[in-house]
């Protein structure tokens, strides 16, 4: 059994949905198909929630009406029979009706989560009706019946595995299984989600829970490219990545993968294949326990980073000092991405600055604190085991014209990270492509 996840663009229109239906049917195995919301839908649902938080019901109404019109067009185009159209309209009406039922009542975070869940509920409903109209026994595995997080926000693997196994056993005669990406329940049973882009994470959690043979992430590009194609020209796909390399790239900004999605696959040694819906025969990228490659493979960038320096001539690096610094971040539930130490100071970076003022205040007890905002972590990934010579020199010489605030090397065998100003991001990414890949 494989898990096949299709992203928003892949199911973004009636024509795309038909194309995906063809792809999921072609290997005949009883695979689990995970769908995102149709592209643009989650953004519209976020917008509706923003209007409702501000008490602007007409704004929410207008956005919802526009979305409903779009879905009416999809229904007209997708199905051949009136019967299928009527069934699809009935299923969509449940979602649109649910969103409308939240208008005019005090709006809460729980309401927002319910609204955000409708995109995946609608895309999977449309696909199920379509597959059934084509004579395919497509069984729905409702994500809200098995996908659950713990109080910590981590996935509840025991619950997910047992519920999913039971659902699968209940439907042994299915041709394929369909399920929603992104949505889940929290530890209190309320509707929740796995954060934006979370359908990739759903796919790998399902892969882990079912011990799948492979997890396929189908998207709008032919695999992980060696640099961010949104900012750099002439990028090219990377054929193979080690789990650790893919995890670093995803965590440090390669949007093609949700940051958390590699870990469940890595722990269970399940290969992940990144494939292009628009070009199904392209090789894409295979993520697995790849052998050492002896080269640099790709670059990614993570925006909106804040660097914090704590300088203290007196007690730095004395026993227990770093512990106190880390404890401060822990007390404010803020995780550290990069760090650099010297005899007189330590610099760390965070991507979540919601507790920054309080953190800085607490750190002042230990030394002089300075803060640099709007920074970017540039992450270079490949076979960077320390005995390999010349790679760190190549990275730094590519960045010779750019002010570098921090460097981190040796934390793993797969990564060199440098911190630069946000305004230097493009220049840095382009320079690295030119020096390392062209
Ligand atoms: P989906 O909706 O299918 O989940 P995403 O938009 O989340 O798709 O991810 C695919 C996009 O990721 C690509 O269109 C591309 O713009 C972006 N991207 C960023 N960095 C990379 C990279 N290194 N390789 C490939 N795509 C990348
Ligand atoms: N629909 C969600 C989003 O747009 C989840 C996903 O597409 O992965 O973020
Ligand atoms: Mg995505």
């Amino acid at each position: 059994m494989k898990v096949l996840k299709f992203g928003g663009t892949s199911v973004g229109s009636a024509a795309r949905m038909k194309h995906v239906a063809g792809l999921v049917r072609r290997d005949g195995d009883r695979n689990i198909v995970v769908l995102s919301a149709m592209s643009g839908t989650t953004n519209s649902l976020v917008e509706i929630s923003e209007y409702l938080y501000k008490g602007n019901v007409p704004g929410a109404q207008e956005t919802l009406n526009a979305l409903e019109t779009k879905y009416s067009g999809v229904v007209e185009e997708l199905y051949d029979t009136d019967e299928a159209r009527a069934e699809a309209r009935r299923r969509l009406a449940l979602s649109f009706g649910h969103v409308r039922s939240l208008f005019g009542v005090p709006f809460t975070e729980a309401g927002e989560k319910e609204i955000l869940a409708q995109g995946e509920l609608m895309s999977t409903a449309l696909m199920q009706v379509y597959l059934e109209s084509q004579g395919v026994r497509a069984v729905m595995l409702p994500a809200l019946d098995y996908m659950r997080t713990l109080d910590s926000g981590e996935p509840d693997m025991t619950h997910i595995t047992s519920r999913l196994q039971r659902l699968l056993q209940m439907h042994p005669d299915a041709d394929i299984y369909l399920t929603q990406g992104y949505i889940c329940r929290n530890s209190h049973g309320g509707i929740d989600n796995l954060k934006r882009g979370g359908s990739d994470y759903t796919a790998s959690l399902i892969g882990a829970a079912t011990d799948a043979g492979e997890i396929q992430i189908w998207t709008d590009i032919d695999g992980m490219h060696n640099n961010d194609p949104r900012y750099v020209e002439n990028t090219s796909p990377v054929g193979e990545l080690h789990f650790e390399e893919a995890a670093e790239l995803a965590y440090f900004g390669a949007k093609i993968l949700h940051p958390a999605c590699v870990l469940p696959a890595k722990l269970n040694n399940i290969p992940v294949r990144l494939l292009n819906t628009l070009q199904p025969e392209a090789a894409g990228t295979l993520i697995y326990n790849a052998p050492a490659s002896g080269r640099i493979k790709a670059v990614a960038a993570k925006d909106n980073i804040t660097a914090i320096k704590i300088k203290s001539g007196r007690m730095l690096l004395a026993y227990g000092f770093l512990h106190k610094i880390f404890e401060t971040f822990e007390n404010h539930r803020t995780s550290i991405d990069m760090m650099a130490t010297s005899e007189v100071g330590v610099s760390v970076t965070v991507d979540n600055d919601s507790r920054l003022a309080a953190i800085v205040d607490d750190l002042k007890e230990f030394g002089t604190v300075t803060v640099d905002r709007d920074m970017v972590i540039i992450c270079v990934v490949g076979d960077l085991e320390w005995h390999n010579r010349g790679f760190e020199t190549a990275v730094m010489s590519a960045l010779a014209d750019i002010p570098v605030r921090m460097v981190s090397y040796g934390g793993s065998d797969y990564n060199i990270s440098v911190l630069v100003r946000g305004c230097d991001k493009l220049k840095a990414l382009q320079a690295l492509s030119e020096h390392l890949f062209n």
Side-chain angles (χ1 to χ4, degrees):
M1 176 183 272
K2 294 193 277 291
V3 183
L4 281 64
K5 176 260 170 177
F6 293 86
T9 319
S10 301
V11 292
S13 66
R16 295 272 115 239
M17 286 234 184
K18 288 184 192 182
H19 181 65
V20 166
L23 290 174
V24 304
R25 291 175 65 181
R26 63 178 188 176
D27 76 1
D29 217 357
R30 289 187 304 131
N31 294 325
I32 303 182
V33 176
V34 180
L35 299 187
S36 288
M38 296 179 78
S39 55
T41 299
T42 308
N43 287 346
S44 296
L45 297 172
V46 167
E47 206 180 312
I48 289 167
S49 303
E50 285 167 357
Y51 281 127
L52 293 177
Y53 272 124
K54 298 216 156 57
N56 181 353
V57 174
Q61 190 73 56
E62 198 176 311
T63 311
L64 188 68
N65 290 346
L67 195 63
E68 200 164 15
T69 306
K70 180 178 145 182
Y71 275 78
S72 297
V74 173
V75 168
E76 283 311 308
E77 200 184 326
L78 185 54
Y79 304 103
D80 296 330
T81 65
D82 287 341
E83 199 190 344
R85 285 195 193 94
E87 176 60 11
R89 279 195 210 101
R90 190 189 66 76
R91 304 269 296 264
L92 293 181
L94 296 176
S95 283
F96 284 107
H98 189 82
V99 177
R100 280 205 179 87
S101 75
L102 296 165
F103 291 5
V105 298
F107 196 58
T108 62
E109 205 183 319
E112 178 187 0
K113 299 279 173 61
E114 287 171 27
I115 289 182
L116 294 184
Q118 301 311 316
E120 274 69 14
L121 291 170
M122 294 199 292
S123 63
T124 47
L126 290 176
M127 183 62 86
Q128 187 183 28
V129 174
Y130 180 71
L131 287 167
E132 281 172 349
S133 77
Q134 302 294 302
V136 179
R137 277 169 301 186
V139 168
M140 189 72 82
L141 307 172
L144 299 178
D145 290 354
Y146 67 87
M147 192 54 78
R148 192 167 83 176
T149 54
L150 297 162
D151 263 341
S152 61
E154 292 298 308
D156 185 346
M157 276 325 284
T158 314
H159 175 92
I160 297 167
T161 306
S162 66
R163 287 292 190 102
L164 198 50
Q165 297 286 4
R166 195 159 66 200
L167 282 169
L168 291 169
Q169 279 158 16
M170 277 163 61
H171 302 284
D173 53 347
D175 292 327
I176 61 163
Y177 299 98
L178 264 182
T179 191
Q180 298 83 16
Y182 176 60
I183 64 177
C184 63
R185 288 192 187 273
N186 57 34
S187 55
H188 309 291
I191 294 183
D192 212 325
N193 60 63
L194 301 172
K195 312 260 160 37
R196 294 305 302 268
S199 299
D200 303 333
Y201 195 23
T202 301
S204 68
L205 292 173
I206 294 175
T210 61
D211 197 22
E214 184 169 296
I215 298 162
Q216 299 182 349
I217 306 288
W218 289 83
T219 181
D220 56 3
I221 190 164
D222 54 346
M224 178 74 76
H225 277 222
N226 56 11
N227 207 325
D228 195 322
R230 294 169 298 177
Y231 305 112
V232 178
E233 283 176 14
N234 302 322
T235 60
S236 46
V238 182
E240 291 188 354
L241 287 170
H242 189 277
F243 284 119
E244 307 275 357
E245 294 172 326
E248 302 266 16
L249 288 167
Y251 183 74
F252 287 109
K255 191 191 171 225
I256 186 169
L257 280 181
H258 180 279
C261 125
V262 179
L263 186 66
K266 182 182 98 173
L267 293 178
N268 294 278
N269 198 16
I270 303 170
V272 179
R273 218 180 267 280
L274 308 182
L275 293 161
N276 187 352
T277 317
L278 307 168
Q279 230 181 300
E281 306 314 326
T285 300
L286 181 62
I287 301 165
Y288 70 115
N289 253 323
S293 63
R295 60 192 179 86
I296 290 180
K297 290 191 181 166
V299 179
K302 189 170 178 182
D303 300 320
N304 299 319
I305 301 294
T306 302
I308 303 160
K309 178 156 69 191
I310 306 105
K311 227 176 75 179
S312 163
R314 199 164 38 87
M315 58 191 291
L316 192 93
L317 302 191
Y319 180 74
F321 179 79
L322 284 178
H323 171 74
K324 285 183 186 139
I325 303 282
F326 288 142
E327 197 176 37
T328 305
F329 286 87
E330 190 188 328
N331 291 342
H332 293 283
R333 297 179 68 92
T334 299
S335 62
I336 292 169
D337 281 330
M338 265 177 91
M339 65 176 294
T341 60
S342 87
E343 174 59 22
V344 293
V346 50
S347 275
V348 300
T349 69
V350 298
D351 64 355
N352 170 6
D353 63 3
S354 60
R355 304 283 305 154
L356 186 65
I359 291 172
V360 169
D361 203 47
D362 288 358
L363 288 172
K364 282 182 177 157
E365 194 184 318
F366 311 119
T368 316
V369 183
T370 44
V371 172
D372 294 297
R373 288 173 174 274
D374 298 324
M375 308 297 284
V376 168
I377 295 175
I378 306 280
C379 164
V380 179
V381 158
D383 186 5
L384 294 160
E385 204 274 332
W386 68 279
H387 291 98
N388 295 337
R389 273 161 292 185
F391 291 146
E392 59 285 7
T393 321
V395 171
M396 295 319 293
S397 61
L399 299 175
D401 294 334
I402 294 169
V404 171
R405 165 75 178 75
M406 276 167 78
V407 181
S408 172
Y409 173 58
S412 87
D413 287 346
Y414 299 96
N415 162 310
I416 301 176
S417 295
V418 291
L419 189 71
V420 301
R421 297 178 304 193
C423 58
D424 289 325
K425 168 178 157 175
L426 281 189
K427 203 173 154 192
L429 288 178
Q430 281 158 359
L432 286 164
S433 259
E434 266 158 42
H435 281 74
L436 301 176
F437 309 128
N438 293 337

